Amino acid sequence: MGRSTATSKAKERLIKIVKKVVKERQMATTDTVRKTSPANDAVDVLLRDVSDGGSSDTPSQPLDFVSGKIVEMMIPGEETMPTAMTLAVKFLSDNPVALAKLVEENMEFKRRKLESGEEYNWSDYMSLSFTHNVINETLRMANIINGVWRKALKDVEIKGYLIPKGWCVLASFISVHMDEDIYENPYQFDPWRWDRINGSVNSNVCFTPFGGGQRLCPGLELSKLEISIFLHQLVTRYSWRAEEDKIVSFPTVKMKRRLPIRVAPVERTSHIPVEDH
Ligand code: HEM
């Protein structure tokens, strides 16, 4: 069986499973309850939208519409997210000073939350500046999507270069993320660089792990939030030891041995000292 046939069969099976879940959810609640109670997840939001009707693109087959949207959200995140998390663990395992700083920031934050009894919220997440630096640096070095192809539908001239109609162009993110004219010591995992850069890098052009323009990844914020939740739980509750492994960057980025790690729960009670950087 060809790879594309196997892939489309797998997708069909996935759609079937998702449809069943969406249908059960649809049957479990009435439209009125759905409209008045808070949405718990994307399925709730989509079901509420289709039951609201009204808009010009209201689908004639709501179940297919909602299931299709859920599958579209599952597939692009299915490989990218585990890869981003694995590489974050790899870079942190190799950089104990960065790891210690990350632990300190997250432990301090957890302690404050436990003391106040408040729940975690968006502004807490936004305040974790070193965690954001770690995520940016991971995405810069990981180059999970190393570039995107575009086809010229007509002759296009950019900065004096002609791209003839029908030609394809590779916008190579990895070339930009590893350009030493933009990033000093680009092969070094240095989360602190994002404090130094502080707006001096044009992030629309020089930092594009999620692409840009009309096709900008809609999972951008969700991805960063998921990575930060993963890192928060990992570093505040566990310690780990990673085995030797190698990053393979072609054709897609992955760890040769899937980065085996040994994880142990920890009871962290005090600050971990962080060296000056
Ligand atoms: C670290 C994780 C991720 C990375 C690095 C990433 C990267 C990208 C990039 C570079 C593109 C643009 C492709 C292009 O221009 O041709 C893209 C598109 C897309 N991404 Fe992500 N993505 C990530 C996670 C996710 C997640 C979690 C979701 C869904 C929840 C998602 C949904 C999508 C969708 C639907 C598109 C297509 C958008 C369109 O064509 O208009 N991505 N992603």
Side-chain angles (χ1 to χ4, degrees):
M1 195 192 303
R3 193 186 154 121
S4 60
T5 325
T7 310
S8 60
K9 283 219 155 106
K11 191 172 174 187
E12 268 171 36
R13 275 211 310 278
L14 179 63
I15 292 176
K16 228 170 158 179
I17 296 167
V18 171
K19 232 182 197 172
K20 190 166 166 265
V21 174
V22 174
K23 192 165 186 178
E24 281 166 8
R25 193 75 78 77
Q26 194 181 30
M27 310 286 276
T29 326
T30 63
D31 284 354
T32 325
V33 173
R34 199 170 289 120
K35 273 178 209 163
T36 48
S37 29
N40 275 328
D41 59 19
V43 177
D44 282 349
V45 174
L46 287 166
L47 281 174
R48 192 167 55 192
D49 278 3
V50 293
S51 68
D52 269 353
S55 92
S56 55
D57 54 0
T58 302
S60 55
Q61 300 289 339
L63 197 60
D64 289 348
F65 174 81
V66 174
S67 314
K69 290 279 174 241
I70 294 295
V71 170
E72 273 169 33
M73 281 194 262
M74 284 166 77
I75 292 178
E78 189 263 338
E79 202 173 321
T80 49
M81 289 308 299
T83 308
M85 290 172 187
T86 308
L87 288 174
V89 172
K90 166 73 179 153
F91 295 139
L92 290 166
S93 307
D94 293 347
N95 292 275
V97 181
L99 174 60
K101 175 79 184 154
L102 184 72
V103 172
E104 186 195 59
E105 181 175 82
N106 280 271
M107 280 309 295
E108 179 57 37
F109 163 57
K110 188 173 180 173
R111 201 170 296 128
R112 261 190 287 124
K113 283 286 148 185
L114 283 174
E115 275 166 21
S116 68
E118 286 169 5
E119 297 205 335
Y120 290 16
N121 60 40
W122 183 259
S123 47
D124 292 328
Y125 159 68
M126 293 306 286
S127 73
L128 297 174
S129 59
F130 192 74
T131 307
H132 284 277
N133 288 355
V134 167
I135 295 171
N136 279 349
E137 188 66 349
T138 299
L139 292 169
R140 182 190 71 80
M141 283 189 66
N143 290 295
I144 297 162
I145 309 283
N146 58 29
V148 291
W149 289 95
R150 291 292 182 265
K151 184 174 177 179
L153 296 178
K154 56 179 186 180
D155 285 357
V156 182
E157 206 185 301
I158 298 178
K159 295 189 177 171
Y161 293 95
L162 174 69
I163 303 163
K165 178 180 171 182
W167 281 44
C168 287
V169 177
L170 170 66
S172 170
F173 302 157
I174 194 166
S175 311
V176 180
H177 293 162
M178 294 303 185
D179 184 343
E180 56 189 17
D181 289 340
I182 306 168
Y183 298 102
E184 201 185 335
N185 298 324
Y187 291 89
Q188 193 178 318
F189 181 78
D190 175 7
W192 288 270
R193 78 169 74 241
W194 295 93
D195 292 332
R196 297 195 300 273
I197 287 171
N198 197 16
S200 68
V201 159
N202 180 350
S203 57
N204 284 334
V205 183
C206 300
F207 183 56
T208 55
F210 295 98
Q214 287 188 343
R215 306 227 79 110
L216 177 72
C217 174
L220 183 156
E221 288 299 345
L222 175 67
S223 306
K224 292 205 272 190
L225 179 65
E226 274 185 33
I227 301 171
S228 84
I229 293 171
F230 165 74
L231 288 176
H232 179 73
Q233 296 298 342
L234 183 70
V235 304
T236 58
R237 301 173 65 179
Y238 305 96
S239 67
W240 76 88
R241 204 166 53 76
E243 288 183 22
E244 273 299 304
D245 204 351
K246 236 176 87 179
I247 300 172
V248 181
S249 296
F250 188 82
T252 53
V253 64
K254 60 176 190 221
M255 301 298 303
K256 200 167 179 191
R257 299 179 52 225
R258 300 181 174 187
L259 189 64
I261 59 173
R262 263 170 231 291
V263 182
V266 289
E267 194 55 54
R268 293 196 199 276
T269 47
S270 60
H271 286 284
I272 291 185
V274 181
E275 291 168 30
D276 285 341
H277 193 83

